[in-house]
Amino acid sequence: MRAFLIACLCCCYALASGFKIAEQSLNATALSSAYVAGAFGADSAYYNPANMGFSHQLSQSDKSELELTLTGIYIPGFSFTTDTGRKDIGQGSINWGLSTETTLGVPDNMANLANTFLGVDLKAPIKVDSEEKNQHGTYGFSEKGALVEGSADPTFFPVPKVFYKSKTAKSSFGNWNYGVSFTAPSGLAMNWNGEAGAFLRNVMIAMVEFSPSLSWNYNERISIGVSPRILYGMGNFQNTVFVPLGTPQKPGKVETNLQDFDEIPSSMIPEAMGELIYAVNTAQGNALAALAGIGIGGGKHLDNKLRYKLPTLFNPEAWFGMADPSVFDEFINEDKKSIDVAGYNAKVEEINATIKKNWEHYKGEWENGNLEWRYNDKTCASQTTICLPTLFNPVPNETYTTTLNGETQTGYKFVNGVNYCIQNGHTTSGFFGCQHMGETMEKAKELGAYVNCYTGTFYDYNGNLQTSNPGPCAYPTPTETDENGVPRGYATLMDAKELSEKFGMGDMNITTNLVGATKVDQKSKGADFAFGYKAAVSVRPFESKSTTLSFVYTSPVTFNLKGDLDATTYIGGSMGNVNMKADLNLAVTLPSSMQIALMHNFGRLGVEFVYEKIYWSKGDKFAFNFSNPRFTPLSGMVMQFSPEQLSGMMDLADYGAVAMGDGWNDTIALRLGLSYLTKKNYFLMGSFAFDESPVPQDKLGIPDSNAYMFGFGVRKQTSDKWNIGLAYSLSLKDGRKSIYQTGGFGQLHLFSASIGYTF
């Protein structure tokens, strides 16, 4: 059951690496985040709050500064392949396909009798493949891997940011500054396609951060800063994962009993039992089975065909909605001696409901006085076996209108009874002695008489039985109507459950083995506030203040995303499919990090080196839970499962196989930034960085790789108060060693523009 949640876990945690954007301001974009010890101005409130009180060539400590930045995140579309042949079942979200094998626990004595006298094996397992195709485009479980293709659509994601830092407030205890930043440290809206991209199908992640900051410094030589972090995260996800349910060596088992079901789905019935069902219901096929079936109330299908194909009925559908027996042909395969009993019986119930509805309608017409019965008992020689054709007694008649099934119909108010054994208007029968009716047949239809000489039952136009003077036909039999006097319609058939119970197997166990991985489609959404902090220390050890050494620590931040989960598991086969809705709670931890940075100014040239350590291995990556699960069976055996049985079946899922955070490692990032202030107040910036991926490259999971980053930008001081700037950054993801092969480097482009105001 927990496997349902893996899909959203993958997406939420994707923001941890590939979707985490460290470059929030224009300077950070141009310098590939080699912007810690050298941070200055408004955006220092975010990157290094200890530096807010430090002066810079472009920033004075006695001035307040405001900066607005707009960053565009662009990821070009790309294609990739995944070699699942390098993995075994249980090692990732891989579409191995799924097969089920169901065995009925037929008692040995019954199985032996059936095998000896009928030549059928009732214990033969029934094997059914899921309706969902596997990674090879075929059906059923296959442990052979494949080269699976996937792709991602191009994505552009604009993100605005705001930074502010105050002018320095001096006191006898040192100098104070405060600031604030509003940023979007993570976010993405992206569509993934193909078999290999199913686990991140449609993703929308948004995270915003509000961080007030405060710093204290002494004589701009040593400074301490702190910044509380208030974050809000939300996401909407639609994706697919493939969760293992069992292996050939250790299949997942579902144990049930015949008593758990109102009926056995046809997909659970072995071919041998299907032959028995055909014989029992039709009195055809296997002679011994047919004979035994009649003894326990079988032969119903044969009865239906005899009764309703007899030529003694004419156009019965005109009055009672009774269909011709040919409507059942689609459920009967006489060549293979099999019947779709569930489909047949469902059709019977549909037709019988129509018969009853029409019958009740005309009964109401009769009771309301719209119809009257006039019977002529002189149309046949009494007590003879021959019904001679005669003319109908002319009866003064009137027409009336009625509404049936939304349509207005016109009929006669007076209905003449026709005491004939009517063949079909076109043939004669020596057995009944009925002669060719010709036009008389059409007249009978117009007058609305319903005659059944096979049973001797007379129905008038509204379905009431008429028993007076039945003539040469047999007297009406009570089996033609139910206890309420309604025409009985068609009879249902005996299914596998009823057949088993009749033969004393009502307590039969049913075992289904599951081998392969089930497809899980899910939609989920969640949101939460989370809190953390950033602490920083900066030191300028030399009197010239040209060198700055900084240390910045960012605490971990844990989100408990609360929302809704809607997941459908496609097991298929005899088991069927299940939907679950639940209240979602997902804990996702953004890792802590430590930065050590050294900045030195060589006149107008500045050089900064940053070493960063990110602790991905710590914290709860996938601490998830849910409450109030609501299961809805969609097909197959599970339609008759109790909530406890559904929950037990879902617990077979090996959700650990598709957990995307297992084995993640702590990483480092190395960043080098260069800056130069020209005599015309152009601040030029360039950078290079290496950012290590926490994701094991041989593991199926988030498709992330080591990144090589290049950046450059320019800021122009247009006046004493205003400055503007542009920056660009390119990240190249090296997937050459990854299990996800793109045939080159993945790309992430950042475009930033800013405007600053000093006051």
Side-chain angles (χ1 to χ4, degrees):
M1 178 161 45
R2 294 179 178 177
F4 288 142
L5 299 175
I6 296 299
C8 64
L9 302 182
C10 303
C11 297
C12 288
Y13 218 73
L15 58 84
S17 178
F19 304 155
K20 179 183 177 183
I21 307 299
E23 293 73 30
Q24 292 295 306
S25 69
L26 180 131
N27 288 358
T29 301
L31 294 169
S32 300
S33 291
Y35 186 62
V36 179
F40 66 91
D43 57 350
S44 64
Y46 178 79
Y47 283 97
N48 184 356
N51 277 22
M52 287 191 296
F54 284 179
S55 297
H56 184 269
Q57 295 163 312
L58 295 177
S59 176
Q60 300 302 315
S61 62
D62 60 348
K63 299 288 185 180
S64 296
E65 297 183 38
L66 176 68
E67 180 179 328
L68 305 178
T69 299
L70 178 65
T71 298
I73 304 170
Y74 174 66
I75 302 176
F78 59 92
S79 300
F80 58 94
T81 58
T82 303
D83 185 3
T84 61
R86 297 162 57 180
K87 297 296 176 183
D88 296 322
I89 188 169
Q91 296 181 327
S93 175
I94 300 175
N95 183 10
W96 300 106
L98 183 66
S99 297
T100 65
E101 184 177 277
T102 300
T103 304
L104 304 182
V106 179
D108 290 340
N109 59 338
M110 294 301 301
N112 293 335
L113 284 173
N115 189 45
T116 301
F117 294 101
L118 306 179
V120 295
D121 182 6
L122 296 181
K123 287 194 171 185
I126 177 169
K127 299 180 180 180
V128 181
D129 295 328
S130 172
E131 296 88 352
E132 301 295 326
K133 291 184 178 180
N134 58 35
Q135 59 188 329
H136 300 284
T138 59
Y139 296 97
F141 171 71
S142 173
E143 56 187 339
K144 182 180 178 181
L147 285 176
V148 183
E149 296 182 350
S151 65
D153 294 340
T155 298
F156 182 77
F157 199 74
V159 183
K161 278 87 56 132
V162 180
F163 306 94
Y164 168 79
K165 74 100 181 170
S166 71
K167 64 181 180 180
T168 300
K170 297 182 178 181
S171 72
S172 57
F173 301 102
N175 304 321
W176 299 86
N177 293 83
Y178 64 89
V180 66
S181 61
F182 182 82
T183 59
S186 297
L188 192 71
M190 200 166 188
N191 296 330
W192 299 71
N193 312 304
E195 183 83 24
F199 70 98
L200 287 174
R201 183 76 65 200
N202 295 318
V203 181
M204 193 289 291
I205 301 169
M207 185 180 295
V208 294
E209 177 178 345
F210 176 77
S211 299
S213 53
L214 179 67
S215 71
W216 171 89
N217 78 80
Y218 177 75
N219 199 28
E220 294 194 28
R221 296 288 299 278
I222 182 171
S223 180
I224 300 173
V226 63
S227 177
R229 304 176 67 198
I230 305 170
L231 297 97
Y232 177 77
M234 62 172 292
N236 291 321
F237 317 105
Q238 296 183 26
N239 54 321
T240 300
V241 291
F242 297 93
V243 184
L245 294 179
T247 66
Q249 297 75 27
K250 189 178 180 181
K253 288 186 179 293
V254 179
E255 301 282 355
T256 53
N257 189 278
L258 185 64
Q259 296 178 350
D260 297 331
F261 304 100
D262 295 327
E263 64 180 45
I264 303 178
S266 58
S267 58
M268 288 176 55
I269 301 173
E271 183 177 351
M273 182 169 283
E275 294 177 5
L276 288 182
I277 293 172
Y278 178 82
V280 166
N281 280 301
T282 64
Q284 299 177 24
N286 190 300
L288 285 175
L291 182 62
I294 292 176
I296 59 173
K300 296 179 181 179
H301 169 58
L302 185 66
D303 287 346
N304 278 340
K305 295 187 73 172
L306 281 174
R307 177 171 184 250
Y308 293 109
K309 282 191 174 180
L310 276 176
T312 54
L313 294 179
F314 60 88
N315 198 19
E317 193 171 9
W319 297 288
F320 306 116
M322 192 171 292
D324 185 90
S326 62
V327 299
F328 298 115
D329 289 348
E330 63 178 300
F331 307 107
I332 304 164
N333 190 325
E334 296 183 358
D335 293 336
K336 293 187 176 181
K337 297 182 175 58
S338 65
I339 304 178
D340 176 5
V341 177
Y344 187 105
N345 288 346
K347 192 68 175 179
V348 165
E349 292 177 3
E350 175 189 334
I351 294 173
N352 288 352
T354 302
I355 292 172
K356 182 177 180 180
K357 178 180 178 182
N358 292 351
W359 181 86
E360 290 176 342
H361 172 81
Y362 282 108
K363 181 180 179 182
E365 294 291 286
W366 191 270
E367 293 173 349
N368 293 333
N370 290 331
L371 291 173
E372 296 180 20
W373 176 260
R374 296 189 180 185
Y375 183 74
N376 178 9
D377 61 359
K378 300 184 182 300
T379 55
C380 277
S382 178
Q383 305 302 321
T384 67
T385 59
I386 300 177
C387 294
L388 297 176
T390 65
L391 296 177
F392 291 90
N393 262 353
V395 178
N397 218 330
E398 300 176 11
T399 60
Y400 79 103
T401 58
T402 184
T403 301
L404 177 63
N405 297 327
E407 295 183 2
T408 300
Q409 299 182 2
T410 301
Y412 286 109
K413 184 173 182 179
F414 303 113
V415 180
N416 272 14
V418 185
N419 191 8
Y420 293 105
C421 295
I422 299 175
Q423 181 79 3
N424 61 8
H426 301 288
T427 63
T428 61
S429 169
F431 180 78
F432 286 113
C434 295
Q435 299 180 11
H436 181 67
M437 298 294 295
E439 294 181 358
T440 310
M441 176 69 175
E442 298 302 318
K443 187 65 176 177
K445 291 181 181 180
E446 291 179 9
L447 293 174
Y450 178 109
V451 182
N452 183 345
C453 277
Y454 177 61
T455 61
T457 302
F458 279 55
Y459 289 105
D460 61 24
Y461 196 36
N462 75 335
N464 287 328
L465 281 171
Q466 299 300 311
T467 59
S468 61
N469 192 18
C473 301
Y475 280 89
T477 60
T479 57
E480 293 302 311
T481 61
D482 63 17
E483 64 276 9
N484 298 316
V486 180
R488 78 169 175 88
Y490 289 103
T492 56
L493 304 185
M494 187 178 297
D495 63 7
K497 177 178 173 65
E498 186 178 357
L499 179 66
S500 300
E501 290 174 339
K502 292 285 187 180
F503 283 113
M505 298 184 291
D507 192 31
M508 182 169 58
N509 292 323
I510 302 172
T511 301
T512 299
N513 291 333
L514 307 172
V515 176
T518 180
K519 175 183 175 181
V520 180
D521 281 341
Q522 75 87 39
K523 298 178 182 179
S524 60
K525 59 182 179 180
D528 186 35
F529 282 97
F531 305 92
Y533 67 90
K534 184 177 291 184
V537 176
S538 290
V539 177
R540 288 177 168 176
F542 305 116
E543 188 69 29
S544 64
K545 300 180 183 178
S546 60
T547 301
T548 304
L549 179 64
S550 295
F551 173 87
V552 177
Y553 173 76
T554 302
S555 72
V557 176
T558 297
F559 286 89
N560 288 301
L561 299 174
K562 299 182 184 298
D564 302 320
L565 174 66
D566 185 331
T568 299
T569 296
Y570 298 91
I571 298 176
S574 59
M575 295 302 298
N577 306 325
V578 182
N579 175 265
M580 184 187 80
K581 292 180 173 62
D583 300 327
L584 174 66
N585 181 50
L586 172 64
V588 178
T589 300
L590 299 183
S592 60
S593 66
M594 175 190 68
Q595 293 173 308
I596 300 174
L598 177 64
M599 171 72 181
H600 184 76
N601 287 311
F602 299 92
R604 292 179 175 271
L605 175 66
V607 180
E608 179 168 356
F609 175 77
V610 177
Y611 170 86
E612 183 175 10
K613 181 80 170 183
I614 307 173
Y615 298 95
W616 293 107
S617 64
K618 296 179 173 57
D620 294 327
K621 297 181 183 64
F622 302 127
F624 56 87
N625 201 350
F626 63 90
S627 59
N628 192 26
R630 286 89 66 194
F631 294 102
T632 302
L634 303 178
S635 63
M637 290 171 59
V638 296
M639 294 291 290
Q640 302 176 70
F641 274 23
S642 67
E644 292 75 20
Q645 287 175 313
L646 286 173
S647 177
M649 184 182 72
M650 293 298 99
D651 281 339
L652 292 174
D654 181 12
Y655 58 90
V658 296
M660 300 297 177
D662 291 349
W664 282 29
N665 305 306
D666 295 341
T667 63
I668 63 169
L670 304 175
R671 310 179 190 276
L672 177 65
L674 303 174
S675 60
Y676 183 78
L677 180 62
T678 70
K679 293 181 179 181
K680 293 186 178 182
N681 285 332
Y682 285 96
F683 189 63
L684 307 178
M685 295 166 282
S687 61
F688 170 78
F690 169 76
D691 194 352
E692 190 177 19
S693 171
V695 178
Q697 298 301 285
D698 63 345
K699 182 178 176 61
L700 289 168
I702 303 301
D704 189 38
S705 304
N706 296 339
Y708 300 92
M709 304 173 63
F710 305 88
F712 60 87
V714 59
R715 182 184 292 275
K716 169 63 175 175
Q717 194 73 32
T718 59
S719 69
D720 292 341
K721 292 187 175 183
W722 294 95
N723 66 81
I724 57 174
L726 295 172
Y728 169 76
S729 173
L730 170 64
S731 295
L732 297 177
K733 295 282 188 176
D734 183 7
R736 291 174 295 178
K737 296 181 180 179
S738 172
I739 196 170
Y740 298 98
Q741 292 294 314
T742 61
F745 286 83
Q747 300 177 24
L748 170 65
H749 302 263
L750 300 179
F751 305 89
S752 291
S754 75
I755 182 170
Y757 180 67
T758 302
F759 55 98

